[in-house]
Amino acid sequence: MILAAGRGERMRPLTDSLPKPLLEVRGKPLMQWPMEALAAGGFTELVVNTAWLGEKISGRFGPNPLLDGHPALSISYSDEGHDFGEALETAGGIVRALPQLGEIFWVAAGDVFAPDFVFTQASVDRFAASGKLAHLWLVPNPAHNLKGDFGLSAEGLALNSAPEKYTFSTIGLYRAALFAPPYCGIPAGNPAGAKAPLAPILRAAMDNERVSAELYAGPWTDVGTPERLLQLNTPR
């Protein structure tokens, strides 16, 4: 699943007429980078959730895009804007899309730039065998999030409390059971369009040692401001 429903308020005025995931980074729409990486890893069935200017995203990629020689993707769109008038936040959007997702699935944000991240079947297999409900990739803290989000134990568990915390990259593997009781009370498919953030669900599962994590050391940018976008597009 590619998350692409946000309004991108901090990116205005760039996002007044274009959804943030379609802003170009090094010649491609920002969200195309994880789409191509997923395709390269053999993960060709995607769900993309949309809200703000969502028709521009579905119009740009359609249902079966061929991206720079990668295997053809099959994209289903979860149009939260059309169905409910606004984005449902991360967990609300994932639960809305659950009927279109498998028992285990990737989630990546369409507004994060991690050009070297590799989506592998081996990662999926390890996660499936672990019995955990989520596996997160964490990154060194950027200047805009120096306190970090989650800790990491020596055994590879994600922690709520730790002396040292890292930033959640937004890339993760999930089991559908995370988005069911006792961690999430929204019915699968989210028929009422309930809005819900992801962090409280993850934190509750962390308290039960059901979330694993690892560090990712490759280049990573949360493209949250025009300045960060400019930096990525400035030749070095």
Side-chain angles (χ1 to χ4, degrees), residues 75-105:
I75 302 180
S76 299
Y77 294 92
S78 179
D79 192 343
E80 299 166 16
H82 176 271
D83 296 337
F84 303 106
E86 60 182 344
L88 303 180
E89 299 189 43
T90 302
I94 292 172
V95 177
R96 176 66 176 169
L98 274 182
Q100 301 167 271
L101 297 166
E103 171 61 25
I104 290 173
F105 52 90

mmCIF file of all heavy atoms in Angstrom, residues 75-105:
data_model
loop_
_atom_site.group_PDB
_atom_site.id
_atom_site.type_symbol
_atom_site.label_atom_id
_atom_site.label_comp_id
_atom_site.label_asym_id
_atom_site.label_seq_id
_atom_site.Cartn_x
_atom_site.Cartn_y
_atom_site.Cartn_z
ATOM 1 N N ILE A 75 -2.918 -1.500 -9.905
ATOM 2 C CA ILE A 75 -3.214 -0.556 -8.833
ATOM 3 C C ILE A 75 -4.714 -0.456 -8.599
ATOM 4 O O ILE A 75 -5.487 -0.229 -9.525
ATOM 5 C CB ILE A 75 -2.663 0.846 -9.144
ATOM 6 C CG1 ILE A 75 -1.147 0.798 -9.371
ATOM 7 C CG2 ILE A 75 -2.982 1.812 -8.010
ATOM 8 C CD1 ILE A 75 -0.539 2.147 -9.689
ATOM 9 N N SER A 76 -5.096 -0.619 -7.341
ATOM 10 C CA SER A 76 -6.451 -0.306 -6.906
ATOM 11 C C SER A 76 -6.380 0.988 -6.103
ATOM 12 O O SER A 76 -5.436 1.187 -5.331
ATOM 13 C CB SER A 76 -7.015 -1.433 -6.030
ATOM 14 O OG SER A 76 -7.077 -2.646 -6.732
ATOM 15 N N TYR A 77 -7.360 1.840 -6.274
ATOM 16 C CA TYR A 77 -7.378 3.123 -5.574
ATOM 17 C C TYR A 77 -8.459 3.110 -4.492
ATOM 18 O O TYR A 77 -9.588 2.698 -4.741
ATOM 19 C CB TYR A 77 -7.620 4.267 -6.552
ATOM 20 C CG TYR A 77 -6.477 4.451 -7.521
ATOM 21 C CD1 TYR A 77 -6.482 3.816 -8.758
ATOM 22 C CD2 TYR A 77 -5.373 5.226 -7.187
ATOM 23 C CE1 TYR A 77 -5.425 3.950 -9.645
ATOM 24 C CE2 TYR A 77 -4.308 5.371 -8.073
ATOM 25 C CZ TYR A 77 -4.339 4.733 -9.292
ATOM 26 O OH TYR A 77 -3.287 4.868 -10.163
ATOM 27 N N SER A 78 -8.060 3.553 -3.317
ATOM 28 C CA SER A 78 -8.994 3.728 -2.212
ATOM 29 C C SER A 78 -9.216 5.221 -2.068
ATOM 30 O O SER A 78 -8.409 5.930 -1.459
ATOM 31 C CB SER A 78 -8.414 3.128 -0.929
ATOM 32 O OG SER A 78 -9.292 3.300 0.161
ATOM 33 N N ASP A 79 -10.297 5.726 -2.648
ATOM 34 C CA ASP A 79 -10.519 7.166 -2.783
ATOM 35 C C ASP A 79 -11.280 7.695 -1.570
ATOM 36 O O ASP A 79 -12.503 7.816 -1.582
ATOM 37 C CB ASP A 79 -11.274 7.455 -4.079
ATOM 38 C CG ASP A 79 -11.289 8.936 -4.430
ATOM 39 O OD1 ASP A 79 -11.002 9.763 -3.543
ATOM 40 O OD2 ASP A 79 -11.576 9.266 -5.593
ATOM 41 N N GLU A 80 -10.536 8.005 -0.527
ATOM 42 C CA GLU A 80 -11.151 8.494 0.701
ATOM 43 C C GLU A 80 -11.824 9.853 0.501
ATOM 44 O O GLU A 80 -12.852 10.143 1.117
ATOM 45 C CB GLU A 80 -10.088 8.576 1.804
ATOM 46 C CG GLU A 80 -9.465 7.225 2.130
ATOM 47 C CD GLU A 80 -8.197 7.331 2.963
ATOM 48 O OE1 GLU A 80 -7.956 8.406 3.547
ATOM 49 O OE2 GLU A 80 -7.431 6.348 3.015
ATOM 50 N N GLY A 81 -11.239 10.663 -0.359
ATOM 51 C CA GLY A 81 -11.834 11.968 -0.631
ATOM 52 C C GLY A 81 -13.202 11.835 -1.255
ATOM 53 O O GLY A 81 -14.157 12.529 -0.870
ATOM 54 N N HIS A 82 -13.331 10.956 -2.225
ATOM 55 C CA HIS A 82 -14.619 10.735 -2.886
ATOM 56 C C HIS A 82 -15.624 10.105 -1.936
ATOM 57 O O HIS A 82 -16.796 10.482 -1.892
ATOM 58 C CB HIS A 82 -14.440 9.842 -4.109
ATOM 59 C CG HIS A 82 -15.723 9.486 -4.800
ATOM 60 N ND1 HIS A 82 -16.456 8.369 -4.453
ATOM 61 C CD2 HIS A 82 -16.405 10.104 -5.807
ATOM 62 C CE1 HIS A 82 -17.542 8.313 -5.216
ATOM 63 N NE2 HIS A 82 -17.524 9.345 -6.051
ATOM 64 N N ASP A 83 -15.162 9.130 -1.135
ATOM 65 C CA ASP A 83 -16.075 8.375 -0.294
ATOM 66 C C ASP A 83 -16.485 9.121 0.970
ATOM 67 O O ASP A 83 -17.622 8.963 1.439
ATOM 68 C CB ASP A 83 -15.438 7.036 0.097
ATOM 69 C CG ASP A 83 -15.204 6.133 -1.103
ATOM 70 O OD1 ASP A 83 -15.888 6.322 -2.131
ATOM 71 O OD2 ASP A 83 -14.328 5.251 -1.020
ATOM 72 N N PHE A 84 -15.556 9.921 1.531
ATOM 73 C CA PHE A 84 -15.830 10.543 2.830
ATOM 74 C C PHE A 84 -15.526 12.035 2.883
ATOM 75 O O PHE A 84 -15.731 12.667 3.912
ATOM 76 C CB PHE A 84 -15.021 9.831 3.925
ATOM 77 C CG PHE A 84 -15.304 8.353 3.993
ATOM 78 C CD1 PHE A 84 -14.374 7.446 3.531
ATOM 79 C CD2 PHE A 84 -16.509 7.878 4.490
ATOM 80 C CE1 PHE A 84 -14.625 6.081 3.576
ATOM 81 C CE2 PHE A 84 -16.772 6.519 4.540
ATOM 82 C CZ PHE A 84 -15.838 5.619 4.078
ATOM 83 N N GLY A 85 -15.011 12.597 1.807
ATOM 84 C CA GLY A 85 -14.757 14.025 1.762
ATOM 85 C C GLY A 85 -13.423 14.457 2.323
ATOM 86 O O GLY A 85 -13.062 15.629 2.209
ATOM 87 N N GLU A 86 -12.675 13.531 2.905
ATOM 88 C CA GLU A 86 -11.370 13.880 3.482
ATOM 89 C C GLU A 86 -10.571 12.616 3.738
ATOM 90 O O GLU A 86 -11.098 11.500 3.698
ATOM 91 C CB GLU A 86 -11.553 14.651 4.792
ATOM 92 C CG GLU A 86 -12.315 13.886 5.851
ATOM 93 C CD GLU A 86 -12.531 14.692 7.120
ATOM 94 O OE1 GLU A 86 -11.844 15.717 7.297
ATOM 95 O OE2 GLU A 86 -13.385 14.295 7.923
ATOM 96 N N ALA A 87 -9.278 12.806 4.040
ATOM 97 C CA ALA A 87 -8.408 11.681 4.364
ATOM 98 C C ALA A 87 -8.763 11.117 5.733
ATOM 99 O O ALA A 87 -9.226 11.833 6.624
ATOM 100 C CB ALA A 87 -6.953 12.123 4.333
ATOM 101 N N LEU A 88 -8.518 9.828 5.906
ATOM 102 C CA LEU A 88 -8.903 9.123 7.125
ATOM 103 C C LEU A 88 -7.740 8.909 8.089
ATOM 104 O O LEU A 88 -7.869 8.135 9.035
ATOM 105 C CB LEU A 88 -9.512 7.761 6.760
ATOM 106 C CG LEU A 88 -10.723 7.801 5.819
ATOM 107 C CD1 LEU A 88 -11.227 6.391 5.550
ATOM 108 C CD2 LEU A 88 -11.836 8.677 6.399
ATOM 109 N N GLU A 89 -6.617 9.582 7.892
ATOM 110 C CA GLU A 89 -5.378 9.372 8.635
ATOM 111 C C GLU A 89 -4.840 7.971 8.321
ATOM 112 O O GLU A 89 -5.480 7.177 7.647
ATOM 113 C CB GLU A 89 -5.568 9.598 10.128
ATOM 114 C CG GLU A 89 -6.022 11.020 10.463
ATOM 115 C CD GLU A 89 -6.010 11.301 11.961
ATOM 116 O OE1 GLU A 89 -5.036 10.903 12.635
ATOM 117 O OE2 GLU A 89 -6.981 11.916 12.444
ATOM 118 N N THR A 90 -3.639 7.682 8.846
ATOM 119 C CA THR A 90 -2.925 6.491 8.373
ATOM 120 C C THR A 90 -3.654 5.192 8.697
ATOM 121 O O THR A 90 -3.925 4.368 7.815
ATOM 122 C CB THR A 90 -1.504 6.455 8.942
ATOM 123 O OG1 THR A 90 -0.818 7.655 8.556
ATOM 124 C CG2 THR A 90 -0.743 5.260 8.396
ATOM 125 N N ALA A 91 -3.997 4.974 9.969
ATOM 126 C CA ALA A 91 -4.658 3.718 10.325
ATOM 127 C C ALA A 91 -6.056 3.638 9.732
ATOM 128 O O ALA A 91 -6.479 2.578 9.252
ATOM 129 C CB ALA A 91 -4.717 3.560 11.842
ATOM 130 N N GLY A 92 -6.777 4.743 9.740
ATOM 131 C CA GLY A 92 -8.100 4.741 9.131
ATOM 132 C C GLY A 92 -8.049 4.385 7.661
ATOM 133 O O GLY A 92 -8.898 3.645 7.154
ATOM 134 N N GLY A 93 -7.023 4.903 6.969
ATOM 135 C CA GLY A 93 -6.867 4.590 5.557
ATOM 136 C C GLY A 93 -6.476 3.145 5.313
ATOM 137 O O GLY A 93 -6.961 2.508 4.372
ATOM 138 N N ILE A 94 -5.598 2.608 6.176
ATOM 139 C CA ILE A 94 -5.205 1.207 6.019
ATOM 140 C C ILE A 94 -6.403 0.289 6.255
ATOM 141 O O ILE A 94 -6.642 -0.651 5.484
ATOM 142 C CB ILE A 94 -4.051 0.862 6.980
ATOM 143 C CG1 ILE A 94 -2.768 1.598 6.553
ATOM 144 C CG2 ILE A 94 -3.804 -0.648 7.016
ATOM 145 C CD1 ILE A 94 -1.631 1.466 7.539
ATOM 146 N N VAL A 95 -7.180 0.558 7.306
ATOM 147 C CA VAL A 95 -8.346 -0.287 7.590
ATOM 148 C C VAL A 95 -9.359 -0.193 6.455
ATOM 149 O O VAL A 95 -9.993 -1.190 6.090
ATOM 150 C CB VAL A 95 -8.988 0.097 8.937
ATOM 151 C CG1 VAL A 95 -10.235 -0.744 9.196
ATOM 152 C CG2 VAL A 95 -8.004 -0.101 10.081
ATOM 153 N N ARG A 96 -9.507 0.990 5.876
ATOM 154 C CA ARG A 96 -10.399 1.150 4.735
ATOM 155 C C ARG A 96 -9.977 0.230 3.590
ATOM 156 O O ARG A 96 -10.813 -0.354 2.888
ATOM 157 C CB ARG A 96 -10.396 2.606 4.269
ATOM 158 C CG ARG A 96 -11.217 2.894 3.003
ATOM 159 C CD ARG A 96 -12.689 2.686 3.232
ATOM 160 N NE ARG A 96 -13.491 3.051 2.063
ATOM 161 C CZ ARG A 96 -14.782 2.755 1.937
ATOM 162 N NH1 ARG A 96 -15.426 2.089 2.891
ATOM 163 N NH2 ARG A 96 -15.445 3.111 0.854
ATOM 164 N N ALA A 97 -8.672 0.084 3.404
ATOM 165 C CA ALA A 97 -8.148 -0.705 2.286
ATOM 166 C C ALA A 97 -7.970 -2.185 2.619
ATOM 167 O O ALA A 97 -7.641 -2.962 1.724
ATOM 168 C CB ALA A 97 -6.806 -0.123 1.839
ATOM 169 N N LEU A 98 -8.182 -2.598 3.861
ATOM 170 C CA LEU A 98 -7.909 -3.980 4.255
ATOM 171 C C LEU A 98 -8.548 -5.030 3.341
ATOM 172 O O LEU A 98 -7.905 -6.041 3.029
ATOM 173 C CB LEU A 98 -8.364 -4.230 5.696
ATOM 174 C CG LEU A 98 -7.385 -3.888 6.817
ATOM 175 C CD1 LEU A 98 -7.993 -4.260 8.171
ATOM 176 C CD2 LEU A 98 -6.048 -4.578 6.625
ATOM 177 N N PRO A 99 -9.797 -4.853 2.885
ATOM 178 C CA PRO A 99 -10.374 -5.876 2.004
ATOM 179 C C PRO A 99 -9.596 -6.060 0.699
ATOM 180 O O PRO A 99 -9.747 -7.093 0.036
ATOM 181 C CB PRO A 99 -11.791 -5.358 1.743
ATOM 182 C CG PRO A 99 -12.118 -4.519 2.942
ATOM 183 C CD PRO A 99 -10.818 -3.848 3.275
ATOM 184 N N GLN A 100 -8.767 -5.077 0.327
ATOM 185 C CA GLN A 100 -7.970 -5.169 -0.898
ATOM 186 C C GLN A 100 -6.541 -5.633 -0.635
ATOM 187 O O GLN A 100 -5.774 -5.797 -1.581
ATOM 188 C CB GLN A 100 -7.944 -3.802 -1.599
ATOM 189 C CG GLN A 100 -9.320 -3.265 -1.980
ATOM 190 C CD GLN A 100 -9.254 -1.797 -2.369
ATOM 191 O OE1 GLN A 100 -9.386 -0.904 -1.541
ATOM 192 N NE2 GLN A 100 -9.022 -1.557 -3.643
ATOM 193 N N LEU A 101 -6.198 -5.834 0.620
ATOM 194 C CA LEU A 101 -4.844 -6.211 0.996
ATOM 195 C C LEU A 101 -4.804 -7.663 1.455
ATOM 196 O O LEU A 101 -5.829 -8.253 1.789
ATOM 197 C CB LEU A 101 -4.337 -5.296 2.125
ATOM 198 C CG LEU A 101 -4.214 -3.812 1.764
ATOM 199 C CD1 LEU A 101 -4.040 -2.964 3.011
ATOM 200 C CD2 LEU A 101 -3.043 -3.589 0.805
ATOM 201 N N GLY A 102 -3.618 -8.240 1.487
ATOM 202 C CA GLY A 102 -3.475 -9.613 1.923
ATOM 203 C C GLY A 102 -3.314 -9.712 3.432
ATOM 204 O O GLY A 102 -3.432 -8.729 4.162
ATOM 205 N N GLU A 103 -3.008 -10.914 3.892
ATOM 206 C CA GLU A 103 -2.777 -11.125 5.322
ATOM 207 C C GLU A 103 -1.526 -10.385 5.785
ATOM 208 O O GLU A 103 -1.456 -9.881 6.902
ATOM 209 C CB GLU A 103 -2.639 -12.621 5.601
ATOM 210 C CG GLU A 103 -2.183 -12.976 7.001
ATOM 211 C CD GLU A 103 -3.135 -12.490 8.086
ATOM 212 O OE1 GLU A 103 -4.336 -12.305 7.798
ATOM 213 O OE2 GLU A 103 -2.670 -12.287 9.225
ATOM 214 N N ILE A 104 -0.519 -10.305 4.922
ATOM 215 C CA ILE A 104 0.711 -9.560 5.191
ATOM 216 C C ILE A 104 0.941 -8.598 4.038
ATOM 217 O O ILE A 104 0.781 -8.972 2.867
ATOM 218 C CB ILE A 104 1.915 -10.513 5.351
ATOM 219 C CG1 ILE A 104 1.787 -11.311 6.655
ATOM 220 C CG2 ILE A 104 3.238 -9.755 5.316
ATOM 221 C CD1 ILE A 104 2.831 -12.382 6.824
ATOM 222 N N PHE A 105 1.293 -7.364 4.356
ATOM 223 C CA PHE A 105 1.447 -6.367 3.296
ATOM 224 C C PHE A 105 2.445 -5.293 3.709
ATOM 225 O O PHE A 105 2.660 -5.016 4.885
ATOM 226 C CB PHE A 105 0.099 -5.723 2.949
ATOM 227 C CG PHE A 105 -0.662 -5.178 4.134
ATOM 228 C CD1 PHE A 105 -0.491 -3.871 4.558
ATOM 229 C CD2 PHE A 105 -1.564 -5.989 4.831
ATOM 230 C CE1 PHE A 105 -1.186 -3.372 5.651
ATOM 231 C CE2 PHE A 105 -2.263 -5.504 5.924
ATOM 232 C CZ PHE A 105 -2.083 -4.195 6.343
#
